[in-house]
Amino acid sequence: DAMVIQNPRYQVTQFGKPVTLSCSQTLNHNVMYWYQQKSSQAPKLLFHYYDKDFNNEADTPDNFQSRRPNTSFCFLDIRSPGLGDAAMYLCATSLYPGLSTDTQYFGPGTRLTVL
Amino acid sequence: TQLLEQSPQFLSIQEGENLTVYCNSSSVFSSLQWYRQEPGEGPVLLVTVVTGGEVKKLKRLTFQFGDARKDSSLHITAAQPGDTGLYLCAGERSGGSNYKLTFGKGTLLTVNP
């Protein structure tokens, strides 16, 4: 089945130790998004790629970076995780954003713990 | 500024009861999506509504998009414990260069057996 896959599902890192989260998609969608979600809150958009074009949200800390080496894969790099970065990180994709019928499809998320 | 006001934030009911969750805004949305999210999982799309006044049904769930496309509701009939989860509404703004979904804060529903 076509889907959005995130690895790992659970990630534990130490304060200040860089970590990379991975997302892949078999939907061949143009756009890939990264969201941060804290407990029982709405997802907060960090940034997105439309094809190779990177779009950062104004309030996303510099500590968060992203790479999209090809259509299928997108990575979230946290350069120096702090305790406040512990959260669920969600990847989503969509085909034609801006079309009223466009839909975002979410992966299962990666739960990040910072010790 | 919270563009999408979702209410109630928390809801705990008994199995068999009916409930309605509301999503309201002063802004017009070209489409609105409802997701359900279970603990430790990503949001799963339930429905997308596009046309003002549109009503969609998914088994015991009924979704309505307001005539002016500024609000939406989700009604669950005869709720079951399996309906427990975080319900999120998310709207896409009119005006094609905006690729972002605006999320409501979510409604955490608990259905007790």
Side-chain angles (χ1 to χ4, degrees):
Chain A
D1 288 343
M3 58 177 60
V4 181
I5 302 161
Q6 290 188 246
N7 286 304
R9 293 293 311 276
Y10 301 91
Q11 176 73 57
V12 180
T13 190
Q14 292 180 332
F15 183 94
K17 185 175 181 181
V19 66
T20 294
L21 309 183
S22 167
C23 178
S24 64
Q25 54 131 342
T26 60
L27 297 161
N28 204 30
H29 281 178
N30 296 310
V31 188
M32 296 185 77
Y33 307 80
W34 278 104
Y35 289 86
Q36 180 192 65
Q37 186 181 29
K38 298 195 174 179
S39 182
S40 297
Q41 296 182 20
K44 178 181 181 297
L45 183 64
L46 296 173
F47 27 57
H48 73 273
Y49 270 97
Y50 195 131
D51 293 330
K52 295 182 180 179
D53 292 333
F54 178 70
N55 299 272
N56 198 29
E57 292 301 296
D59 58 354
T60 297
D62 292 340
N63 199 25
F64 292 85
Q65 304 284 320
S66 186
R67 297 170 284 133
R68 190 179 185 186
N70 54 53
T71 300
S72 300
F73 285 86
C74 195
F75 300 98
L76 168 62
D77 300 308
I78 308 177
R79 292 192 296 185
S80 182
L83 298 179
D85 297 328
M88 173 76 89
Y89 288 88
L90 296 165
C91 175
T93 72
S94 72
L95 182 59
Y96 289 124
L99 281 184
S100 61
T101 53
D102 190 59
T103 297
Q104 289 191 22
Y105 295 91
F106 285 82
T110 295
R111 169 72 64 188
L112 177 67
T113 300
V114 181
L115 301 177
Chain B
T1 303
Q2 181 66 30
L3 292 177
L4 263 177
E5 297 288 342
Q6 194 171 339
S7 62
Q9 191 174 352
F10 300 97
L11 189 56
S12 180
I13 60 171
Q14 295 300 121
E15 182 176 1
E17 292 183 6
N18 302 333
L19 66 114
T20 302
V21 176
Y22 299 94
C23 196
N24 296 297
S25 176
S26 58
S27 300
V28 175
F29 293 96
S30 57
S31 68
L32 197 137
Q33 297 160 24
W34 285 93
Y35 293 86
R36 184 174 75 205
Q37 185 177 21
E38 298 186 11
E41 300 292 331
V44 174
L45 180 71
L46 296 174
V47 78
T48 300
V49 285
V50 176
T51 307
E54 183 176 5
V55 177
K56 282 191 173 179
K57 292 193 175 183
L58 187 65
K59 296 184 181 178
R60 294 175 293 100
L61 279 60
T62 302
F63 305 86
Q64 186 162 5
F65 202 14
D67 291 341
R69 292 185 289 135
K70 293 182 179 181
D71 55 86
S72 183
S73 63
L74 157 61
H75 182 78
I76 302 179
T77 303
Q80 298 177 2
D83 296 327
T84 293
L86 179 68
Y87 288 81
L88 294 160
C89 64
E92 182 151 345
R93 298 284 296 279
S94 298
S97 63
N98 189 335
Y99 304 143
K100 294 185 288 188
L101 282 182
T102 299
F103 278 90
K105 288 188 174 181
T107 295
L108 189 59
L109 172 66
T110 303
V111 182
N112 302 298

